[in-house]
Structure formats: structure tokens, C-alpha cells
Amino acid sequence: MISAAIVGGTGYTGIELIRLLSAHPNVSLDLLTSRSEAGTRADEIFPSLRGISDIVFSDLGEDTLGALQKCDVVFFATPHGVAMKQAEALTQAGVKVIDLAADFRLQSLTDFEHWYQQSHACPELLKTAVYGLPEVNRAKLAEALVVGNPGCYPTTAILGLKPIIEKQNTQADRLIEPRIVIDAKSGVSGAGRQAKLALNYTETTDNFKAYSVEGHRHLPEIEQGVAQLLGSQFTHRIRFLPHLVPMIRGMLSSIHMEMTEAGTAIDWQQAFENAYASEPFIDVMPKGNYPDTRSVRASNRLRIAIHQDNEHAELTVIVVQDNLVKGAAGQAVQNMNVMFGLEESLGLNFAPIVP
């Protein structure tokens, strides 16, 4: 059994981790921390856990740090800046760390400091961190001590672009023009479990809005994914615009590109089907079928549809996922499975919830 701990288990990704790890056949969830809820049972805060987990929140103090060092893996479901202050001590004790915040996503310290307004606490450890996208980084994840779990939007963007960039890298000529537009929408849970006026029921219900129009901190993560993770041989200009939609969970990203003449000669439907044929959690929809967010709700599935319009040289990729599962906690568990040499889909093979 893998001894696991969750630091910061009172948010939406935290409860998803508790739900998933409590049902995992190879995991014992031994420690759960929260400064605000120390001494409280998790099922008192989240009644959905009654009969599933009776674990009690502990405070994150010196005694708790010693207990964390005895675990096999520690998940950080905390705000940005927390994991990097604890990671060195944990890895020195041989503990694997999976951070669901942004501390270990961006390799550029300049980008990290600009977008997250803080200096990195362990830049040397950051150099060894692995970006936690199994469909791209599976081999590196198997050897990783520290994993930066991807952001929810970048997961849809990078996986939506992966077959295109990989196909383009095999060609002498460009297949798509430099400009890529990512029009993304997320449910309100993506903003976290916090009391903010802009997120209350009256403000979000029967409403739909764009936000961070001037620039979003997931943009450098997407750019890093295309340029470094996917190793694009061509430079791209990416416009990323997120929107908040009046639903609790779910994410849909539409990726718009203009094809070159060489790009129109490619059967992109077949290219996507070939690229993801062996991936357990990526479903490429049949031609002419388009996914909705309900089709992946509460699951670790990510569904992709491709629309190729050769007459107008336009290519559109539509990606949906549950932002709390494949976009966060489910992907973290998938990463853990790879890190410990387990079957990648272990503890994650559950059908989406409909309606």
C-alpha cells in the first residue's frame, strides 16, 4: 500500500483527492492537513464523505511535517507558494511530491515571478521537477520525485495541440499558420472554494463573462507546453482567453487555427485517432460528433473533436474535461500511478455522471 497525505484538503481539489484516494485499491490515505479545520473530521465538512472516510484534519506544524516525511507521497492542494517551502525537506526524506498549484509548473523563474508575484523558494529543485501530463511525459514521470500537476486550461490546450505539433514536426513545411486562438470556458469551481463577491450565486447564475482578458497566468504554461514539452520546431503566437460559465464543474476549450496548403492535405481526424489510440483517458470523437461537458462530468476522461474545413483552410479542435478531475485531482492520481509503477488507470476507471 502507498501511504499518502494531502496538504490542504478543504478545497474542491482537496475533496476530489480524498474521494479518489479513498477508493484507490493501492493507497492508504494516512494524513490530511488544514490549518483552519484542524481537529475536524473531513466528513463533517463534506457530508458526501460519510461512510467513505473518517480521517481528521491535522494542523500543518513541525510535528505534522515529521509525519509527512514518513509517507510515500504527499499531494499539495494548497495555494501557490506553499508546496515549494516544504518540498525540499520531503524529497530529502525520499517522499514523492505532487503539487496541484503552480510552484513546479513553469521552468522560467522570470515567468513564475511575474505571473505569481513571488520568488521561488527552491529553484534548484524546480529544475528536476517533471510536468505532470502523462500523455506527454510518461517516461519522465516514472522517475520523478517532484511533479507539477498541470493547470486545468493548459491540460486541454496542450493535449488539444499535441497531435498537430507532433505531425508538424515531421514535415519540412508548416501545416498551420503561427496564430493559434484558444477560446476556453470553465465552470465556477475552477476559481476554488472561497468567498468572493464575483463568485457568489447571484453574480454567476444566469451570467457569462470573459476574464483576465489582458493576460492569464496559464498562458506561459501553454506556451511552455507547445515550445518545450511538445518541442515545436516552429514559433507560434497563442491568444488565450478564458470565460466563466454558470455551471459548477466542466471545461470546454475551442482551439482555432488556420491551415497552410500543406495542412489541408492532412487528414487531421485520422491523425488525432492515431495519436491517442492507446491513451486510456483520451477519447477522440467520431467525425461530425462534438462533446459536451456533461459527457465527462466527475470522470478522468478528456474528449476531443476535430473539425477540418479545407475550403476556408480552418482547423478547429474542441476539448472537454472535468476541471476538478482530469484538470486537477484525477490527473494527480494518474501521475501517482505512473510514479509508483502502477497501472495508470487504477482507481480512475469510473464512468461520467449523467445527468
Side-chain angles (χ1 to χ4, degrees):
M1 296 292 284
I2 297 169
S3 174
I6 302 172
V7 177
T10 58
Y12 293 134
T13 56
I15 185 178
E16 284 294 279
L17 279 170
I18 298 171
R19 177 176 75 90
L20 297 175
L21 294 175
S22 295
H24 197 293
N26 288 65
V27 173
S28 172
L29 182 55
D30 295 325
L31 190 60
L32 184 63
T33 80
S34 168
R35 286 195 170 95
S36 61
E37 300 294 347
T40 305
R41 283 173 47 133
D43 61 4
E44 291 181 48
I45 302 172
F46 302 111
S48 60
L49 296 175
R50 287 179 57 83
I52 295 173
S53 176
D54 59 1
I55 194 166
V56 176
F57 284 102
S58 302
D59 194 4
L60 185 58
E62 289 299 321
D63 293 341
T64 308
L65 180 58
L68 290 174
Q69 291 175 326
K70 297 177 183 178
C71 295
D72 297 311
V73 61
V74 175
F75 295 86
F76 281 86
T78 50
H80 311 302
V82 176
M84 62 183 179
K85 296 174 183 176
Q86 307 288 338
E88 283 188 307
L90 291 172
T91 55
Q92 287 170 4
V95 181
K96 297 180 188 293
V97 172
I98 302 175
D99 178 33
L100 280 77
D103 295 13
F104 296 99
R105 292 174 186 166
L106 296 176
Q107 283 295 315
S108 168
L109 292 175
T110 301
D111 283 344
F112 178 81
E113 291 171 4
H114 170 73
W115 289 98
Y116 294 96
Q117 299 296 300
Q118 54 187 303
S119 297
H120 205 284
C122 52
E124 291 304 312
L125 188 59
L126 173 64
K127 294 177 183 177
T128 70
V130 176
Y131 191 72
L133 203 56
E135 293 80 5
V136 180
N137 254 353
R138 191 169 280 118
K140 290 183 179 180
L141 283 167
E143 306 296 328
L145 267 182
V146 178
V147 168
N149 216 59
C152 47
Y153 284 124
T155 294
T156 61
I158 296 169
L159 293 179
L161 289 168
K162 178 178 181 286
I164 296 170
I165 301 302
E166 289 181 341
K167 190 74 171 178
Q168 184 169 257
N169 284 346
T170 67
Q171 310 292 313
D173 299 321
R174 274 189 177 274
L175 300 179
I176 61 171
E177 299 292 352
R179 188 65 162 166
I180 299 174
V181 176
I182 303 172
D183 180 23
K185 288 95 173 171
S186 176
V188 182
S189 62
R193 186 173 178 257
Q194 52 193 318
K196 285 187 176 181
L197 176 61
L199 300 177
N200 73 25
Y201 183 84
T202 307
E203 298 294 326
T204 58
T205 303
D206 195 26
N207 194 16
F208 177 38
K209 64 180 180 181
Y211 64 97
S212 296
V213 177
E214 68 285 353
H216 191 281
R217 58 194 179 190
H218 280 171
L219 175 59
E221 190 178 338
I222 296 170
E223 292 174 331
Q224 173 184 271
V226 172
Q228 299 175 27
L229 197 64
L230 300 179
S232 177
Q233 297 176 13
F234 294 93
T235 301
H236 297 280
R237 293 182 292 110
I238 299 173
R239 175 58 168 142
F240 168 63
L241 183 60
H243 301 75
L244 191 68
V245 297
M247 62 184 183
I248 295 172
R249 60 201 300 163
M251 178 170 286
L252 187 151
S253 294
S254 300
I255 307 172
H256 305 279
M257 293 150 284
E258 183 180 349
M259 294 180 287
T260 64
E261 185 176 350
T264 62
I266 303 295
D267 182 344
W268 288 110
Q269 176 72 30
Q270 192 62 54
F272 270 76
E273 290 178 4
N274 292 344
Y276 289 129
S278 61
E279 291 297 342
F281 295 116
I282 300 187
D283 175 28
V284 178
M285 303 290 288
K287 187 175 182 178
N289 288 263
Y290 304 99
D292 53 23
T293 58
R294 185 175 65 170
S295 71
V296 294
R297 185 182 297 156
S299 81
N300 202 51
R301 304 281 171 186
L302 181 146
R303 303 197 197 278
I304 301 179
I306 302 94
H307 175 70
Q308 180 173 350
D309 181 353
N310 282 352
E311 181 180 352
H312 297 96
E314 293 174 348
L315 182 64
T316 300
V317 178
I318 299 171
V319 187
V320 300
Q321 69 175 4
D322 188 313
N323 57 290
L324 296 178
V325 190
K326 182 58 175 169
Q331 184 142 265
V333 174
Q334 188 179 351
N335 285 327
M336 179 201 70
N337 286 341
V338 177
M339 294 166 77
F340 285 89
L342 301 175
E343 170 61 40
E344 193 167 320
S345 60
L346 198 63
L348 294 170
N349 277 324
F350 39 82
I353 296 172
V354 176

